[in-house]
Amino acid sequence: GRNAQSCPHECYGSGPVPTLMETTDITVEGLNRTIRAIHAENPDVVVLVLAKYDDAKQVLYVNDRTVERNHELNSAIKQRIETLPNTYFVDLAFPLDVPMFQTLNTGHANCRGDKVIAESVIEAMYTHKVIASGLNLGEEGCLGRADCGSLSAACCQRSALCYLDANNNCSRYGPGLQ
């Protein structure tokens, strides 16, 4: 993905280009300004900050070489914004070795990725009592499961590869279209 290292060095004047972890200062400052502006209008509004999702490799898959780096980056940002009132961080993880990204808009989540993002947001809203009920999601180990026909309804809902069809059967997503 794009980061400080891919910006023209002129953006930083005569100073050094920040490391990826040093960019958290820039990110947190921008988030703080935005969150403060929202809460200036209405302090009761709940703000959810979505984790940066993993980088793509070979167009479609999670780049397993950058997962730990992204986790560290997200943890640093989460730690610095979780003290703000009515502000919550939404953790996010995509399964490895599963097509999670679009082919035409590289680096953007596909429908399976969007499902994981939406479920993560709903789960965070439920956990922080923003909504009264959440989804019946199976354990984290269900996220990359593809054996849809043998999954419980809860595990099916957690899986990035499966969905509950109109007859409440756990079915596998097709390859999708671009």
Side-chain angles (χ1 to χ4, degrees), residues 75-93:
S75 293
I77 293 168
K78 178 180 181 177
Q79 182 180 13
R80 292 181 55 194
I81 64 130
E82 66 186 357
T83 58
L84 299 172
N86 285 335
T87 304
Y88 304 107
F89 195 81
V90 179
D91 290 306
L92 181 64

Side-chain angles (χ1 to χ4, degrees), residues 22-37:
E22 289 170 341
T23 65
T24 59
D25 292 338
I26 299 165
T27 301
V28 169
E29 180 57 32
L31 286 170
N32 282 336
R33 286 181 187 188
T34 302
I35 293 166
R36 281 195 298 268

Side-chain angles (χ1 to χ4, degrees), residues 123-145:
E123 191 169 28
M125 291 172 68
Y126 176 69
T127 299
H128 297 291
K129 299 179 177 24
V130 176
I131 57 177
S133 63
L135 297 171
N136 182 17
L137 298 174
E139 59 194 43
E140 292 294 324
C142 297
L143 188 61
R145 297 274 302 267

Side-chain angles (χ1 to χ4, degrees), residues 11-137:
C11 292
Y12 300 103
S14 60
V17 175
T19 66
L20 188 63
M21 287 307 291
E22 289 170 341
T23 65
T24 59
D25 292 338
I26 299 165
T27 301
V28 169
E29 180 57 32
L31 286 170
N32 282 336
R33 286 181 187 188
T34 302
I35 293 166
R36 281 195 298 268
I38 292 168
H39 285 151
E41 293 294 319
N42 184 344
D44 296 326
V45 169
V46 173
V47 177
L48 300 174
V49 176
L50 183 64
K52 176 190 181 301
Y53 53 75
D54 293 312
D55 301 324
K57 75 172 180 184
Q58 299 172 350
V59 181
L60 295 172
Y61 303 95
V62 170
N63 186 343
D64 53 339
R65 294 180 310 219
T66 61
V67 168
E68 186 57 35
R69 181 190 73 193
N70 283 338
H71 177 73
E72 291 171 9
L73 187 72
N74 285 329
S75 293
I77 293 168
K78 178 180 181 177
Q79 182 180 13
R80 292 181 55 194
I81 64 130
E82 66 186 357
T83 58
L84 299 172
N86 285 335
T87 304
Y88 304 107
F89 195 81
V90 179
D91 290 306
L92 181 64
F94 285 167
L96 300 176
D97 302 318
V98 172
M100 296 301 293
F101 296 96
Q102 298 178 26
T103 56
L104 292 180
N105 296 305
T106 57
H108 292 277
N110 62 18
C111 62
R112 288 170 282 287
D114 290 344
K115 177 186 180 202
V116 172
I117 292 169
E119 288 172 348
S120 298
V121 169
I122 291 169
E123 191 169 28
M125 291 172 68
Y126 176 69
T127 299
H128 297 291
K129 299 179 177 24
V130 176
I131 57 177
S133 63
L135 297 171
N136 182 17
L137 298 174

